[in-house]
Amino acid sequence: MAAKTVLTGTHFMNGDYACCEGAIAAGCRFFGGYPITPATEVAERMSSRLPDIGGIYIQMEDELASMAAVLGASWGGMKAMTSTSGPGFSLMMENIGLGICTETPCVVCNVQRAGPSTGLPTLVGQGDMMQARWGSHGHYEIIAVAPSSPQEMFDFTIRAFNLSEQYRLPVMIMADEVVGHMTEKVVIPPEDSIELVPRRRPAVPPEKFRPFKPDPDGVAPMASFGDGYRVHITGLTHDQRGYPVMDAIAQEDMVNRIVGKIRNNLDDIIRYETADMDDAEIAVVAYGIAARSARRAVREAREKGLRAGLLKLNTVWPFPEKLIRELAGNVHAMIMPEINYGQMVLELERCAAGRCTVRLVPHAGGSIHSPKTVLNAIETALKEA
Amino acid sequence: MGAKRGRKPALRHPQDDLLRTDRIPHIWCSGCGIGTVFSCVLSAIKKSGHPLDDVAMVSGIGCTGRMAGYVKLDSYHTTHGRAIPFATGLRLARPQGKILVCSGDGDLLAIGGNHFIHAARRNIDITVVCVNNFNYGMTGGQLAPSTPFNARTTTSPIGCPEEPFNFCHMAAASGAVYVARWTALHIRRLTDSISEALQKRGFSFVEVLSPCPTSFGRRNKMGKGLDIVKYYHDKSVIRNNIDPKEATLDFSTNLVVGKFVDIERPTFLDNYQLINKRELPAWPASTDKGAGKKAAGLV
Ligand code: SF4
């Protein structure tokens, strides 16, 4: 076990590998997955890294099993993750729902490729954004982060683990093929400077413990297999004891809890960055790899003297509703480039509520937006203003 | 619900320390075999002597899947078919203690069939108890991969046109280290088998032929629960140690029960640790190096 857990230093690394290093630095010691382009490199690196640091890599028979194994490992006391792409993400939805309902901390990295169906396995897409939000049945809230570089793959993966422990749910890393496969500088900080959220353990003895009785922030402590708490969990609607209760009152209680723990902590969860926004008339709102094209377009617009700015969403779910509402009153238009035919832009429109123009810069997938396309959209929006 | 909460049955059941008594009454129909099997499982857990805080039960969806809700252990009621992969993660994250997967035939071997064979192949250290009642009881009695040819169910109203699996043969062929089958009336043998299975390291499998009077029994005019389980018992012949391929369930002749497999094989974790010591010579063995080229006449 002489291998290093945290590879402190400066590296030249692809995004998929950086995701693994972020996970390991965050304490992840279980990976259950299934190979799929363009997320395979995550599984490959985990298979070579985990055995030497006391972790488990297992290649499951499919993505249904991968997600189920990740939940099991989390209840076994390990920080656990999986990675996948489009078709595998669809299969994982079933047990992502179980993870939501049983409030199981874990991380799912989706290195998005273009769909629908098998689509373009080796080429980029951002078409799973709504699936991340709504893909499993029933009503719930989710947390998803959207890295736009290998460095962010590292940083956001650590944050994804922290959020999953803090709020007890599967947290999604909505990466994409370009971010996964591009190689860039990745700085891994010293181990003791990485802040980690430990699992919240029961503070009362077993006879007093109610597995789903929340602390004041809406999240309940968690007892693992073998801790002596003899916890029952189920995907059925359940009460604070974890026992199934088949009625509308219990349903309301449970849904309020799993929704409320996210909705009541938005300021803690939501992260974004801005550039050139102070006097901006046009806000380019973007996430993931599309934010890189957007950043370049905004810079070129500024060089031309156009008042454009960038709002980069680092968390995409929950959607930064308050931020967008405020912003909508301060700009002429918001432009969103995304590699789909309009997903997150629907949220943007909803939150702008007619107070400014909202324009999608669509892309069907297979490549990323050229900055020129985004710049054209900025110029058009300014003309319309 | 409020009135039910905290209500305790007046009499103590000998298994009370293993039951979530605040969840009783259970949902199982009268005459159902699941309660009997559940009781055998609880006895076997006690008999095995493992500290109860160190035993977990995982189940999927269906009537049998509800066992996890009544047992006072760390108990995980998962999604349909996924009890085994959930248990796989649980097992690998925490190698100590025992993990039982208790679920029905449809859950484990239809929707969960792929997971079943792969967990057996990997020799994941879990004990799987399959209550086989030849149909999907909870949803009202539809055909399952266990439904006998020509038996009636709500989705084979004229007769089941499919041939069933032999679960024991499948488990053995996939690599299980322990395979047994009993009826729900073989109380002592069944309990012994489950506790033996719990002592094994690796993937152990116990199938129980169990009456579902409400769904399967009613469609096939088989009578009450007790009549059905007696019928299974009467039809059964014990053939210990035979090739599980020969351990057929033929209602026109007999239902073969017994212990069919009891072997040793390294578990997934044994092999994982072995491989990761990096002490094994590279595959293939050096004498075979270039074997493919030689065979092709290239060298
Ligand atoms: S439906 Fe059948 S299997 Fe289910 S509880 Fe009733 S008798 Fe038992």
Side-chain angles (χ1 to χ4, degrees):
Chain A
M1 305 275 157
K4 278 172 74 174
T5 49
V6 181
L7 302 183
T8 303
T10 303
H11 304 261
F12 193 51
M13 194 180 265
N14 77 31
D16 281 351
Y17 282 10
C19 172
C20 298
E21 293 310 324
I24 290 167
C28 174
R29 292 295 178 271
F30 183 93
F31 185 97
Y34 189 83
I36 187 165
T37 307
T40 302
E41 291 85 347
V42 182
E44 285 175 344
R45 188 165 178 107
M46 286 306 234
S47 75
S48 78
R49 287 278 278 135
L50 284 174
D52 291 335
I53 55 170
I56 298 283
Y57 171 88
I58 184 166
Q59 193 161 306
M60 298 301 289
E61 52 275 15
D62 56 34
E63 289 90 346
L64 304 161
S66 303
M67 195 60 219
V70 163
L71 299 181
S74 184
W75 283 96
M78 275 186 173
K79 287 189 180 175
M81 82 171 292
T82 188
S83 67
T84 190
S85 190
F89 198 50
S90 295
L91 290 184
M92 285 180 184
M93 285 301 151
E94 172 193 63
N95 288 303
I96 285 171
L98 181 66
I100 297 284
C101 192
T102 55
E103 305 187 47
T104 307
C106 60
V107 170
V108 178
C109 176
N110 179 358
V111 187
Q112 294 175 88
R113 62 197 225 184
S117 190
T118 312
L120 298 172
T122 60
L123 297 172
V124 63
Q126 289 182 317
D128 308 345
M129 301 308 295
M130 281 293 170
Q131 188 183 17
R133 176 66 187 87
W134 299 110
S136 199
H137 52 278
H139 201 105
Y140 56 91
E141 288 284 338
I142 199 77
I143 298 178
V145 297
S148 68
S149 65
Q151 181 67 53
E152 287 184 351
M153 279 291 252
F154 178 85
D155 296 336
F156 290 11
T157 300
I158 293 177
R159 180 140 204 271
F161 273 96
N162 283 344
L163 288 165
S164 80
E165 294 295 339
Q166 178 73 34
Y167 295 105
R168 275 190 67 177
L169 81 167
V171 171
M172 300 182 185
I173 301 167
M174 297 303 286
D176 61 74
E177 183 276 328
V178 173
V179 167
H181 283 164
M182 72 160 62
T183 299
E184 283 185 337
K185 183 167 115 172
V186 174
V187 179
I188 299 182
E191 186 167 358
D192 56 13
S193 73
I194 299 172
E195 277 180 39
L196 298 182
V197 174
R199 188 157 296 181
R200 204 181 305 193
R201 297 290 181 190
V204 296
E207 58 284 5
K208 293 232 175 73
F209 184 57
R210 294 190 155 224
F212 295 95
K213 181 168 183 278
D215 285 348
D217 66 348
V219 188
M222 182 171 167
S224 304
F225 169 34
D227 284 353
Y229 284 80
R230 303 217 206 154
V231 167
H232 177 63
I233 61 158
T234 175
L236 288 165
T237 294
H238 47 268
D239 61 16
Q240 290 189 350
R241 297 171 300 176
Y243 291 180
V245 181
M246 299 296 100
D247 64 35
I249 298 165
Q251 171 73 6
E252 191 180 345
D253 277 358
M254 188 187 83
V255 174
N256 276 345
R257 189 174 65 249
I258 61 176
V259 167
K261 69 184 178 183
I262 306 302
R263 290 192 183 170
N264 298 329
N265 292 291
L266 296 176
D267 290 344
D268 181 49
I269 299 167
I270 291 169
R271 291 281 189 280
Y272 58 88
E273 288 165 34
T274 57
D276 296 320
M277 281 301 296
D278 288 347
D279 61 344
E281 293 173 359
I282 307 294
V284 183
V285 185
Y287 59 90
I289 192 62
R292 306 268 298 246
S293 310
R295 190 182 290 276
R296 171 83 174 268
V298 165
R299 203 187 318 136
E300 287 176 8
R302 285 284 167 177
E303 279 161 12
K304 288 182 154 192
L306 308 177
R307 281 155 66 178
L310 172 70
L311 170 62
K312 173 175 175 291
L313 307 180
N314 291 347
T315 48
V316 278
W317 300 116
F319 193 73
E321 194 165 326
K322 200 170 74 180
L323 174 75
I324 299 297
R325 279 194 206 295
E326 285 165 14
L327 183 62
N330 299 334
V331 294
H332 290 311
M334 294 192 282
I335 291 172
M336 178 172 272
E338 51 180 346
I339 308 175
N340 57 52
Y341 272 16
Q343 294 194 13
M344 299 308 288
V345 76
L346 300 174
E347 284 293 277
L348 208 57
E349 278 171 2
R350 179 179 69 80
C351 299
R355 297 177 72 201
C356 73
T357 307
V358 176
R359 288 270 181 274
L360 167 70
V361 188
H363 194 309
S367 69
I368 62 173
H369 293 86
S370 83
K372 184 93 183 70
T373 316
V374 184
L375 182 61
N376 286 345
I378 294 171
E379 285 170 337
T380 309
L382 274 169
K383 269 180 219 142
E384 287 170 356
Chain B
M1 186 197 81
K4 256 196 216 167
R5 185 177 284 174
R7 196 183 69 189
K8 293 258 160 66
L11 284 174
R12 276 188 60 80
H13 186 273
Q15 312 283 23
D16 267 6
D17 55 335
L18 261 175
L19 289 173
R20 296 186 189 272
T21 49
D22 48 353
R23 287 218 59 220
I24 307 296
H26 57 70
I27 62 152
W28 297 312
C29 309
S30 73
C32 177
I34 295 174
T36 315
V37 181
F38 187 46
S39 185
C40 294
V41 167
L42 299 184
S43 304
I45 290 172
K46 279 198 178 165
K47 227 173 129 178
S48 73
H50 290 286
L52 297 180
D53 285 348
D54 238 2
V55 182
M57 186 184 287
V58 183
S59 71
I61 298 298
C63 295
T64 310
R66 293 303 184 93
M67 278 191 194
Y70 301 121
V71 72
K72 199 169 176 185
L73 295 171
D74 282 313
S75 54
Y76 306 95
H77 181 222
T78 67
T79 39
H80 197 20
R82 317 299 168 220
I84 287 178
F86 184 99
T88 298
L90 191 68
R91 169 78 304 162
L92 300 182
R94 189 176 189 279
Q96 312 91 305
K98 284 286 161 187
I99 299 175
L100 280 127
V101 171
C102 295
S103 228
D105 45 294
D107 185 74
L108 287 168
L109 286 130
I111 190 165
N114 197 31
H115 312 311
F116 182 90
I117 57 176
H118 286 281
R121 172 179 66 81
R122 297 184 183 112
N123 205 20
I124 301 291
D125 184 18
I126 55 177
T127 295
V128 178
V129 177
C130 173
V131 176
N132 179 1
N133 54 26
F134 304 106
N135 79 145
Y136 288 86
M138 182 163 271
T139 43
Q142 294 74 38
L143 77 87
S146 52
T147 305
F149 177 73
N150 197 28
R152 282 179 302 276
T153 69
T154 62
T155 49
S156 58
I158 305 163
C160 175
E162 301 181 16
E163 301 272 357
F165 272 139
N166 174 346
F167 296 158
C168 288
H169 178 36
M170 201 161 144
S174 308
V177 293
Y178 185 95
V179 179
R181 175 195 288 144
W182 302 103
T183 76
L185 211 55
H186 288 99
I187 309 277
R188 188 176 50 80
R189 293 177 196 273
L190 173 60
T191 308
D192 288 348
S193 257
I194 300 170
S195 54
E196 262 178 43
L198 279 169
Q199 301 304 343
K200 296 293 291 186
R201 293 181 76 253
F203 188 92
S204 50
F205 177 65
V206 181
E207 177 185 2
V208 195
L209 310 181
S210 173
C212 167
T214 306
S215 298
F216 189 71
R218 191 159 53 97
R219 295 278 152 196
N220 292 289
K221 302 192 170 45
M222 296 171 83
K224 294 201 166 74
L226 195 59
D227 302 329
I228 303 170
V229 76
K230 272 194 179 141
Y231 167 66
Y232 294 163
H233 190 267
D234 290 349
K235 281 254 160 212
S236 71
V237 287
I238 301 178
R239 296 259 192 282
N240 287 321
N241 303 316
I242 67 161
D243 182 346
K245 192 177 177 189
E246 313 297 327
T248 51
L249 296 176
D250 183 348
F251 286 81
S252 65
T253 54
N254 52 40
L255 310 176
V256 179
V257 298
K259 179 170 86 174
F260 310 126
V261 176
D262 190 349
I263 57 169
E264 301 294 329
R265 196 160 78 80
T267 66
F268 174 90
L269 278 176
D270 293 339
N271 282 336
Y272 186 79
Q273 276 148 14
L274 176 69
I275 289 285
N276 288 314
K277 277 189 198 149
R278 296 176 165 82
E279 286 167 3
L280 293 182
W283 186 93
S286 56
T287 49
D288 296 343
K289 287 264 158 68
K293 278 188 184 172
K294 274 183 213 144
L298 296 175
V299 283

